[in-house]
Amino acid sequence: RPLVVGVFQNQSHEFIQEMVETCGLDMVQLHGKEGMEAANVSKCGVPAIRVVDIETNADGSGSSEGAVDKLLSAITTDPLAILLDTSIKGNKDGGGTGVTFDWGIAEKLQNNGLPVIIAGGLKPNNVKDAVTDTRPWGVDVSSGVEATPGKKDHEAVEQFVKGAREAAVEASKGF
């Protein structure tokens, strides 16, 4: 069966644990300002994915300067994986930017043994490149497969999944 993941932002450990038990969650994804240590199994009750924003300019440029070193110094062993998402400089809203960040950041983190999930600006027409270039632990998409805000385009979802799977098979050759 697919894993059931609860997504939380700036919630207390008690609330998260209550939702894990009530809803039967297998994993949680933390999007807020909780810090890495909040992703510890002892605090969440289940393994956690920690979201880390990669700040860029509105055109996706300007994200690599020192980002890898900064992340490596901040990351702990608490989260199961790190989800990298785009954040636009000066914009207080997170997610749904439609802008990619420098995927080289994800590749370097992966090469340091950190399981990475790529999000931010992924669409059916670029997911193959993201997977082939970085070999991430996973990919995450929302607005990149929407027909209108909040409404998914089923064909786009199908094309996205197909592209991700094909690229994963190609990227795994040679291991």
Side-chain angles (χ1 to χ4, degrees), residues 1-166:
R1 78 174 174 84
L3 296 176
V4 179
V5 181
V7 179
F8 300 91
Q9 186 170 12
N10 300 322
Q11 298 293 328
S12 70
H13 298 299
E14 295 80 15
F15 178 79
I16 292 171
Q17 286 181 354
E18 180 182 339
M19 291 300 103
V20 164
E21 292 173 22
T22 302
C23 301
L25 301 177
D26 299 304
M27 191 178 300
V28 297
Q29 186 170 307
L30 304 177
H31 277 262
K33 305 291 184 207
E34 302 95 344
M36 287 292 162
E37 62 283 347
N40 191 289
V41 172
S42 68
K43 294 182 179 178
C44 296
V46 292
I49 297 167
R50 183 71 186 97
V51 176
V52 175
D53 291 330
I54 303 296
E55 193 173 69
T56 71
N57 295 317
D59 66 358
S61 67
S63 60
S64 9
E65 301 170 27
V68 173
D69 292 335
K70 183 179 176 184
L71 284 170
L72 286 173
S73 69
I75 290 175
T76 67
T77 58
D78 295 307
L80 173 69
I82 304 298
L83 186 150
L84 302 177
D85 198 0
T86 305
S87 171
I88 305 296
K89 291 178 184 173
N91 187 347
K92 296 199 186 314
D93 297 329
T97 65
V99 176
T100 60
F101 60 88
D102 176 1
W103 294 332
I105 295 168
E107 181 181 19
K108 289 174 185 167
L109 293 173
Q110 285 272 127
N111 290 342
N112 275 281
L114 295 169
V116 173
I117 300 168
I118 297 176
L122 293 179
K123 299 176 175 112
N125 67 349
N126 68 4
V127 68
K128 283 184 180 181
D129 290 337
V131 172
T132 302
D133 293 351
T134 64
R135 291 185 233 151
W137 193 65
V139 291
D140 182 287
V141 67
S142 186
S143 61
V145 292
E146 289 181 342
T148 58
K151 183 165 173 53
K152 300 298 181 234
D153 176 332
H154 294 269
E155 187 175 322
V157 171
E158 186 176 318
Q159 290 302 311
F160 184 91
V161 171
K162 181 181 178 199
R165 285 183 175 160
E166 287 174 359

